[in-house]
Amino acid sequence: MTVEYLAAGRPAPPRWSRTALIVVPVLLALGIAVAWAADLTRQRAQEQLESVRSSAGQQAAAGEARVLSTLAYASPMIWSAAVPESVRAGLRALVQDTAAEVSAGLRQEAEAARTTLVLPWQADEQVLRAQILLQIDGELARFDRIAADARNLADVMSG
């Protein structure tokens, strides 16, 4: 009887413990990888959104300067009764085209902000994107009004 007991050896460990030894490290590594990727996505989103904010601000400021300088150049003839209406209309169109170019650039910046990857749980980046889009939309509305009709000096001259 003693010989039989010794020959049987130790009982095999339960199957769940072998599975746990494999599954737990894999799940842990997967969790770490997801957290790392989410943090990397957050950092990239912040960088891209700040870049868009800066670029859109620069475009709006430069666009305003372009529109105002075009208006300053054309203004004496735009408002002169001695200049034919076709020439005045052409000069207004020049101011409007300048504003339309600025609007096109701002639309590209807005699209860049909209397409920046922000994960659903990254609330700070979602708020930042919304603020940037609101800022760009305000500038776009102004330049779109000028592009539609440069006769309204209040739109052209407001900053």
Side-chain angles (χ1 to χ4, degrees):
M1 201 187 287
T2 306
V3 175
E4 287 179 15
Y5 179 72
L6 289 175
R10 293 178 55 190
R15 186 173 187 160
W16 65 265
S17 67
R18 282 183 280 167
T19 305
L21 286 174
I22 295 170
V23 171
V24 169
V26 168
L27 289 176
L28 185 62
L30 184 61
I32 290 170
V34 167
W36 175 78
D39 187 56
L40 186 61
T41 300
R42 182 190 55 77
Q43 289 174 359
R44 284 187 182 150
Q46 285 178 345
E47 290 170 5
Q48 289 172 346
L49 290 171
E50 287 299 332
S51 175
V52 166
R53 180 194 306 238
S54 174
S55 180
Q58 290 172 356
Q59 283 188 34
E64 181 177 351
R66 283 179 55 208
V67 167
L68 291 176
S69 65
T70 304
L71 181 65
Y73 169 76
S75 184
M77 290 183 280
I78 289 176
W79 308 114
S80 172
V83 176
E85 177 55 33
S86 61
V87 173
R88 289 186 288 170
L91 292 170
R92 280 192 305 271
L94 182 64
V95 173
Q96 291 171 203
D97 290 346
T98 303
E101 290 173 13
V102 176
S103 289
L106 290 173
R107 278 190 180 75
Q108 289 177 345
E109 295 299 332
E111 185 60 25
R114 275 187 206 92
T115 58
T116 297
L117 176 62
V118 176
L119 298 174
W121 58 86
Q122 295 173 333
D124 291 343
E125 288 71 27
Q126 290 178 356
V127 168
L128 178 61
R129 177 172 42 199
Q131 290 171 344
I132 291 169
L133 288 172
L134 188 63
Q135 177 185 355
I136 292 173
D137 286 345
E139 293 292 344
L140 258 173
R142 178 171 172 248
F143 284 106
D144 284 346
R145 282 191 310 269
I146 297 168
D149 186 6
R151 285 182 270 194
N152 186 354
L153 279 180
D155 284 339
V156 178
M157 301 303 280
S158 68

